[in-house]
Amino acid sequence: MAEKLYLGVDMGGTHIKIAAVLDNGNIVEEIAIDTDTAADPKAVVKEVIQAAKKFKTFSEIENIGVGIAGDIEYKTGFVRFSPNLPKWKNVQLKKLFEQLTHKKTLIDNDANTAAIGAFWLDDKGKSESLICVTLGTGVGGGIIINKKLYHGASGAAGEIGHITIDLDGQKCNCSNRGCIETFVGAKYLVNSVKAELKKSKSVTIDKLTNKNHLLITPEILFNAANLGDKISKDAWKKAGIKLGAFLSIILNFFNPETIIFCGGISCAHKFFLKIAVKEAQKRAFQSALKACEIKVSKYGNKLGVVGAAMLSKQ
Amino acid sequence: MAEKLYLGVDMGGTHIKIAAVLDNGNIVEEIAIDTDTAADPKAVVKEVIQAAKKFKTFSEIENIGVGIAGDIEYKTGFVRFSPNLPKWKNVQLKKLFEQLTHKKTLIDNDANTAAIGAFWLDDKGKSESLICVTLGTGVGGGIIINKKLYHGASGAAGEIGHITIDLDGQKCNCSNRGCIETFVGAKYLVNSVKAELKKSKSVTIDKLTNKNHLLITPEILFNAANLGDKISKDAWKKAGIKLGAFLSIILNFFNPETIIFCGGISCAHKFFLKIAVKEAQKRAFQSALKACEIKVSKYGNKLGVVGAAMLSKQ
């Protein structure tokens, strides 16, 4: 095989996705294993490598890339902690992989690998500048500049979930107030609906949750909106308006060629994306908005593993 | 002379600064001429070249760079309009210079050339990532990435004056609401004090303006604050708090190595910069704040002309 091959590893809290990926982002072979959150890091890495070795192409793999949530020192491949793997503290993940495989390994946080994945899969590696926005439990981001991941001075670049939207808004996990995450992060989105349900009633949400509002998730709100539920639709609309203001900040500051939304919550895009773009039309520089393609990833669960593989190419 | 030389031209509304600049940003020769705002563009360009030809080093100059306020198409060197030169509409400025000098010429807007100037003069070309914030009539910005000016997809990158700070805030020139410019731009800053003076009295401001509040400028507010005037000091403090929130957005998004303030209003930094940094401490990721040097340019009126020269080196 003339083309180069890379191994991508997407360390999730439930599954670990592993794939052999071509130079252009196409997956050649892939497998997923359950995440053993009780095992120590070395055992997990061994299991990952064992699984990867079943690939027919394993011997041809050049480098390995790993995406993992948490506080990652990308330069040294050191994992300070990972919320998905609570037993992992101060893990030399890069070293572990390199010792066991003798292949160069690069580690980065999952928002960054998602951005690389979106750049190769959705964007086909075309844009000079791209922002990937991960909408999920939190709001994450990754920045591609000149076709490469941009880390900033201390690896903190792309923390776009903590762009302030309301200076006096709700306290955020990060200790700031009114970050975009406090409007569209899963927990906050759900809480805003719970608060609304104390004032108004939703037959649809009651039905979908068996009247147990603790069971409300963004998915329930998506399903309820699909069934015409007003409270859910309003919640998505409000999220869309805030996302529009957020997009304007990105557009006016960074003027990217492409913005791609991904992550679980982005599946509900039909209820918020048009609204967000309309709000951005009111707020952003028109030339910046016109020059930017804003879209939702079509490769949802592949972004992480392909992005991890392509990270190792950098 | 072994080192390369570049000609920088800073097209101001009152003066045009012209300098022969070395590879490292040092000025070798410089001159300023009055801006003839009534003359047509070709006549002005001829006058600039005539002045530059008086430099002993003129024949050694490789390229020419020009910084000018307004709506500039940097790729083609086309000036759609310039607020400083109201007669200039749709001027092929690059072509004019190149026809008259036979030297390659690059044109960019003055916020971008200021950023390049700050990068070479204040930063000595060290930072991989730098944001320059121009505080003046408007709030402008320029972004340096990998030691080069970043233009974005349509040349609109760095419009950081229009980062939203208050979604429901005052209407801004750009048609958005609550941009940082509506808090710290000269006109808005002055207007906020004028509004305050309808409620409270300031003996100092009355003295400095001969009781004619139409004469209030940021400079007057700086002088009044130096004399201990509470209303002026409070105005700078409020501006500092908003600038702190603004810095947090830049830090969390872009995690730059360096942020440099310049422009007329930055001279009053002793009344707002510490406050801004303190506010950013409350809001920004600590690693991003720690990794960033935030300072005020020491090269005020040289930034534009040196930045223009260094632009032509790119």
Side-chain angles (χ1 to χ4, degrees), chain A residues 2-20:
Chain A
E3 285 177 284
K4 288 189 177 179
L5 263 182
Y6 303 93
L7 189 75
V9 180
D10 181 12
M11 292 272 187
T14 316
H15 304 293
I16 299 172
K17 293 191 201 97
I18 307 158

Side-chain angles (χ1 to χ4, degrees), chain A residues 172-188:
Chain A
C172 180
N173 279 337
C174 75
S175 87
N176 189 5
R177 286 189 176 278
C179 300
I180 183 69
E181 185 165 308
T182 69
F183 293 99
V184 302
K187 182 182 81 181
Y188 299 93

Side-chain angles (χ1 to χ4, degrees), chain B residues 288-307:
Chain B
L289 185 60
K290 266 186 211 161
C292 185
E293 191 182 358
I294 300 171
K295 60 187 178 184
V296 175
S297 175
K298 288 180 181 162
Y299 297 86
N301 58 2
K302 307 262 186 226
L303 292 186
V305 71
V306 170

Side-chain angles (χ1 to χ4, degrees), chain B residues 217-233:
Chain B
T217 60
E219 206 185 342
I220 296 263
L221 298 180
F222 174 60
N223 293 336
N226 266 325
L227 294 167
D229 178 57
K230 191 173 175 310
I231 288 177
S232 303
K233 280 165 84 178

Side-chain angles (χ1 to χ4, degrees), chain B residues 41-60:
Chain B
K42 195 169 181 175
V44 174
V45 172
K46 273 187 178 167
E47 216 193 330
V48 167
I49 294 165
Q50 229 164 14
K53 280 191 173 163
K54 290 181 191 153
F55 291 166
K56 283 178 224 147
T57 54
F58 184 78
S59 66
E60 297 165 46

Side-chain angles (χ1 to χ4, degrees), chain B residues 61-81:
Chain B
I61 280 164
E62 305 244 331
N63 303 332
I64 301 173
V66 184
I68 179 166
D71 187 0
I72 316 299
E73 213 176 72
Y74 75 95
K75 278 186 188 165
T76 54
F78 182 71
V79 178
R80 280 201 203 84
F81 83 97

Side-chain angles (χ1 to χ4, degrees), chain B:
Chain B
M1 192 176 289
E3 285 178 283
K4 288 188 175 179
L5 262 183
Y6 304 93
L7 188 76
V9 180
D10 181 11
M11 291 272 187
T14 316
H15 303 293
I16 299 173
K17 294 191 199 93
I18 307 159
V21 177
L22 280 172
D23 218 27
N24 60 4
N26 284 344
I27 292 177
V28 177
E29 299 181 79
E30 60 186 318
I31 191 170
I33 60 174
D34 292 340
T35 309
D36 185 351
T37 52
D40 77 50
K42 195 169 181 175
V44 174
V45 172
K46 273 187 178 167
E47 216 193 330
V48 167
I49 294 165
Q50 229 164 14
K53 280 191 173 163
K54 290 181 191 153
F55 291 166
K56 283 178 224 147
T57 54
F58 184 78
S59 66
E60 297 165 46
I61 280 164
E62 305 244 331
N63 303 332
I64 301 173
V66 184
I68 179 166
D71 187 0
I72 316 299
E73 213 176 72
Y74 75 95
K75 278 186 188 165
T76 54
F78 182 71
V79 178
R80 280 201 203 84
F81 83 97
S82 177
N84 292 338
L85 298 149
K87 277 194 79 176
W88 290 37
K89 295 248 159 71
N90 301 321
V91 178
Q92 297 278 10
L93 192 57
K94 175 188 170 75
K95 270 196 192 159
L96 270 181
F97 269 97
E98 291 186 340
Q99 280 166 357
L100 293 167
T101 62
H102 305 288
K103 293 183 196 284
K104 189 184 161 194
T105 304
L106 286 163
I107 317 283
D108 217 320
N109 79 59
D110 56 348
N112 279 341
T113 50
I116 301 176
F119 174 66
W120 285 103
L121 294 176
D122 291 287
D123 190 62
K124 310 290 177 217
K126 281 185 200 150
S127 295
E128 291 294 327
S129 52
L130 179 148
I131 303 277
C132 181
V133 184
T134 313
L135 300 174
T137 311
V139 178
I143 303 175
I144 304 284
I145 299 174
N146 298 331
K147 301 186 184 286
K148 282 194 176 164
L149 190 67
Y150 170 77
H151 280 102
S154 64
E159 282 292 355
I160 55 182
H162 305 283
I163 285 180
T164 318
I165 292 294
D166 178 0
L167 295 201
D168 304 313
Q170 250 188 95
K171 195 95 183 170
C172 180
N173 280 338
C174 76
S175 87
N176 189 5
R177 285 189 176 278
C179 300
I180 184 67
E181 185 165 306
T182 68
F183 293 99
V184 301
K187 181 182 82 179
Y188 299 93
L189 190 70
V190 165
N191 283 347
S192 76
V193 170
K194 282 182 185 164
E196 194 54 39
L197 287 172
K198 284 182 183 161
K199 293 182 277 175
S200 322
K201 204 176 148 59
S202 159
V203 179
T204 314
I205 294 177
D206 281 356
K207 209 168 166 183
L208 291 171
T209 60
N210 238 335
K211 291 196 178 177
N212 181 357
H213 292 173
L214 293 174
L215 299 179
I216 298 175
T217 60
E219 206 185 342
I220 296 263
L221 298 180
F222 174 60
N223 293 336
N226 266 325
L227 294 167
D229 178 57
K230 191 173 175 310
I231 288 177
S232 303
K233 280 165 84 178
D234 281 352
W236 289 116
K237 190 178 166 185
K238 278 183 198 161
I241 290 173
K242 300 300 182 190
L243 279 172
F246 163 79
L247 284 176
S248 308
I249 291 175
I250 294 178
L251 289 165
N252 286 354
F253 181 178
F254 194 64
N255 186 199
E257 250 178 273
T258 307
I259 297 175
I260 298 178
F261 286 98
C262 67
I265 285 183
S266 69
C267 301
H269 62 87
K270 71 173 185 177
F271 293 115
F272 67 75
L273 192 58
K274 270 191 191 163
I275 292 162
V277 172
K278 206 172 157 190
E279 183 70 15
Q281 272 163 356
K282 291 188 209 159
R283 295 187 177 275
F285 274 62
Q286 295 310 301
S287 77
L289 185 60
K290 266 186 211 161
C292 185
E293 191 182 358
I294 300 171
K295 60 187 178 184
V296 175
S297 175
K298 288 180 181 162
Y299 297 86
N301 58 2
K302 307 262 186 226
L303 292 186
V305 71
V306 170
M310 299 308 269
L311 164 76
S312 79
K313 184 188 161 185
Q314 293 214 331

